Amino acid sequence: RDKPYPFHLDVRAGPSTINAEGQVQHPFDLAQISGATRISGPNLAQLYLLTGVALPTTPAYRLAANFQRSGSRYTFSHISGTLGRSDLEGTLAVDRVKGRRRLDADLTSQKLNFADLLTVLGGLPTHSAPAPAPRRPKQIRLPIGQPAKPGSAPGRRVLPDAPIDAERLRAMDAQVSYRARSITGGIFSVRRGALKLTLNQGVLTFDPLLLELAQGRISGRAAFDASGPVVKTSLDLRADDIGLQQLFRQHRSQPALEGELEARARLAGQG
């Protein structure tokens, strides 16, 4: 038979769903398949038991993508959809390299809602229904997998207090680039953001971390070392040319405080 064999897949695990339609090039040879998929659920971290891929805690999501499998490598292109009230697009690949699962991704949000960012960084997941995902792709916190403690107020904390799942950090490697072209809903005038995530042998690093405000920027790096029995954390943040009037404003016509802020914070801990 010259034509590929079509297939349809419908997987449901509690509230999480994975739907896929595609084609197999040769019967009983699942190493060469391609198609389109749609996934939805309350939290991407809950897909770990289905996929073995450690993903961050997120708000409710609806995503669509084209996919292709070639041997052990899965490639997802034309990703589009929503997480909470934020959009997401880009590419993602999962492979096995030297016996370890590895994820590589290049992702962008045209509009990131600040509350969704807090969820990924260790806040409580939001349960508002996301916008519907496209029926087809165009051709289609920071703890990993752990929500914040009930009763915590992520919007009032300097650092999140959600636990880190060290076992999941040790289970795979990753390199992810992410950009938010605009950020809405924050208490500060945050305009854009970007980060590069690297996970290697249980060491999770964010370098660089960048938030651009209307006046000034916050940049730095963060690392979580889960390679040993006790997780070690380090944080190095710098604030440059921060206009204080955008942080402490009583009303639009008269800021409570004026001037510029230059600061640096270096923190380290374990456990």
Side-chain angles (χ1 to χ4, degrees), residues 26 40 57 88 127 132 146 150 177 200 237 241 244:
H26 305 286
S40 63
T57 296
L88 186 70
H127 299 290
Q146 291 286 349
S177 294
N200 184 28
L237 291 179
D241 304 322
L244 294 177

Side-chain angles (χ1 to χ4, degrees), residues 50 66 126 153 173 189 225 241:
L50 286 176
N66 291 331
T126 57
D173 300 323
S189 301
D225 186 349
D241 304 322

Side-chain angles (χ1 to χ4, degrees), residues 3-137:
K3 294 183 178 180
Y5 294 79
F7 72 89
H8 177 78
L9 178 69
D10 188 356
V11 178
R12 299 177 184 272
S16 303
T17 64
I18 301 175
N19 295 289
E21 293 181 0
Q23 52 193 19
V24 181
Q25 297 300 320
H26 305 286
F28 309 111
D29 182 8
L30 299 182
Q32 301 292 331
I33 61 176
S34 60
T37 185
R38 298 182 301 276
I39 65 174
S40 63
N43 183 352
L44 278 174
Q46 295 179 2
L47 295 178
Y48 178 77
L49 296 179
L50 286 176
T51 65
V53 177
L55 298 170
T57 296
T58 69
Y61 63 90
R62 294 181 185 274
L63 298 169
N66 291 331
F67 72 88
Q68 183 173 3
R69 179 183 181 183
S70 180
S72 63
R73 183 176 179 85
Y74 293 83
T75 302
F76 298 86
S77 59
H78 296 101
I79 297 172
S80 63
T82 58
L83 283 79
R85 289 173 288 177
S86 305
D87 64 85
L88 186 70
E89 60 187 40
T91 61
L92 181 149
V94 179
D95 202 351
R96 293 196 73 86
V97 179
K98 297 181 180 180
R100 289 178 59 81
R101 184 172 284 106
R102 177 181 173 88
L103 181 148
D104 291 275
D106 187 0
L107 303 170
T108 300
S109 293
Q110 299 299 326
K111 182 180 292 185
L112 171 65
N113 185 274
F114 199 75
D116 299 331
L117 175 62
L118 290 179
T119 299
V120 175
L121 294 178
L124 292 170
T126 57
H127 299 290
S128 58
R135 297 183 63 183
R136 297 278 182 181

